[in-house]
């Protein structure tokens, strides 16, 4: 991240001062127990709110922070809140990718039904990651899709706006595959893992919908999850 091209919009400070104040903003995000808003950051750093917004936009653009909307549980526009992202070096990412390639290859060579095993594993993790409602709560289809997309968003799938299809059916666009390179080599395993993840999340929240099938690579980085009214499905159903 180069600081030489940035100027504080409120104070017009030097590049060094801008870099120092941006570091303070990032420190607040990293030390916070949860997402924080512009006002809280301004109070903790002593910076003007507009300066804080400027630094937050830069941190988000550099991948050091992420922006989300706060669920207030009351009418009105939700405010934007921010959290620090977990940073990894390029070497770290390459190491994780290599490990994923090795483990996927091991599964493909060692298991009799690797796709089914992947779907079963994915379902277990989907159940674990889902935000389970109380026993008396019955979610609507819209609420269930909301919980599913939160799981997918946190896992790096960048889900898009849900498309309504046939009555009681919907399509969730997945605009990014976190394991794209591996999926191209071992589509049956990776796509079954992702299918199981989504099915497990919906089962955990007792959704009135199920993932009927996952349609991979309809575009360079786009897959489609097709949802229909829920009933039992075999695990290994990736299209």
């Amino acid at each position: 991240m180069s600081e030489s091209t940035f100027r504080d919009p409120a104070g017009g400070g030097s590049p060094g001062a801008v870099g120092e104040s941006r570091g303070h903003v990032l420190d607040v995000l990293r030390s916070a127990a949860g997402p924080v808003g512009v006002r809280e950051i301004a109070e903790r750093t002593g910076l003007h709110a507009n300066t804080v917004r400027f630094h937050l936009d830069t941190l988000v653009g550099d991948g050091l922070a992420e922006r989300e909307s706060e669920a207030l549980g009351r009418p009105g526009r939700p405010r934007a809140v921010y959290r620090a992202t977990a940073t990894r070096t390029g070497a770290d990412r390459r190491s994780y990718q290599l490990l994923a390639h090795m483990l996927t290859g091991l599964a493909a060579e060692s298991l009799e039904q690797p796709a089914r095993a992947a779907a079963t594993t994915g379902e277990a993790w989907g159940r674990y990651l889902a935000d389970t409602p109380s026993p008396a709560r019955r979610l609507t289809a819209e609420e269930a899709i909301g919980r599913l997309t939160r799981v997918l968003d946190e896992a790096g799938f960048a889900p898009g706006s849900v498309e309504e299809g046939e009555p009681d059916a919907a399509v969730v666009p997945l605009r990014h595959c976190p394991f794209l390179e591996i999926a191209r080599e071992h589509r049956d395993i990776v796509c079954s893992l992702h299918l199981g993840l989504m099915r497990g999340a919906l089962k955990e929240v007792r959704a009135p919908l199920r993932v009927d099938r996952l349609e991979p690579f309809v575009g360079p980085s786009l897959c489609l999850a097709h949802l229909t009214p829920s009933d039992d499905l075999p695990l290994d159903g990736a299209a």
Side-chain angles (χ1 to χ4, degrees), residues 134-222:
S134 66
R137 179 84 181 277
R138 291 295 178 265
L139 301 183
T140 65
E142 183 178 1
E143 290 171 330
I145 291 173
R147 298 202 183 199
L148 172 63
T149 55
R150 280 198 294 274
V151 170
L152 293 171
D153 186 50
E154 291 173 358
F157 288 92
S161 300
V162 176
E163 303 171 6
E164 299 297 334
E166 299 293 331
D168 300 321
V171 177
V172 180
L174 308 177
R175 299 171 298 180
H176 176 258
C177 177
F179 302 101
L180 181 60
E181 295 80 6
I182 304 167
R184 286 172 175 160
E185 184 177 348
H186 296 285
R187 180 184 298 191
D188 56 340
I189 295 178
V190 175
C191 292
S192 294
L193 185 70
H194 295 165
L195 178 66
L197 179 77
M198 290 184 284
R199 286 183 175 170
L202 288 178
K203 285 182 178 179
E204 182 65 21
V205 302
R206 304 184 299 280
L209 296 169
R210 57 169 180 158
V211 183
D212 177 66
R213 61 191 175 94
L214 175 62
E215 187 178 3
F217 301 132
V218 298
S221 60
L222 176 66

Side-chain angles (χ1 to χ4, degrees), residues 11-196:
S14 67
V18 172
E20 183 178 352
S21 60
R22 184 167 304 141
H24 291 327
V25 171
L26 185 57
D27 287 342
V28 170
L29 295 180
R30 287 176 171 169
S31 62
V36 291
V38 171
R39 181 178 298 177
E40 293 95 324
I41 298 171
E43 290 175 352
R44 296 186 195 183
T45 59
L47 298 171
H48 190 278
N50 287 341
T51 301
V52 171
R53 291 188 184 93
F54 168 73
H55 290 318
L56 288 170
D57 287 344
T58 302
L59 292 171
V60 170
D62 288 339
L64 297 175
E66 54 189 18
R67 181 190 297 109
E68 60 190 64
S69 295
E70 184 179 46
L72 299 178
R74 62 176 183 268
R77 184 177 179 179
R79 67 171 182 160
V81 290
Y82 300 81
R83 68 169 76 238
T85 58
T87 57
R88 295 200 301 266
T89 66
D92 289 334
R93 288 190 290 270
R94 288 194 298 273
S95 296
Y96 278 112
Q97 186 178 57
L98 175 60
L99 177 61
H101 273 288
M102 294 169 65
L103 293 176
T104 306
L106 177 64
E109 295 172 4
S110 304
L111 300 176
E112 289 186 8
Q113 296 180 307
R116 185 173 182 82
T120 302
T121 300
E123 180 172 339
W125 277 95
R127 287 181 176 274
Y128 171 73
L129 294 172
D131 182 11
T132 309
S134 66
R137 179 84 181 277
R138 291 295 178 265
L139 301 183
T140 65
E142 183 178 1
E143 290 171 330
I145 291 173
R147 298 202 183 199
L148 172 63
T149 55
R150 280 198 294 274
V151 170
L152 293 171
D153 186 50
E154 291 173 358
F157 288 92
S161 300
V162 176
E163 303 171 6
E164 299 297 334
E166 299 293 331
D168 300 321
V171 177
V172 180
L174 308 177
R175 299 171 298 180
H176 176 258
C177 177
F179 302 101
L180 181 60
E181 295 80 6
I182 304 167
R184 286 172 175 160
E185 184 177 348
H186 296 285
R187 180 184 298 191
D188 56 340
I189 295 178
V190 175
C191 292
S192 294
L193 185 70
H194 295 165
L195 178 66

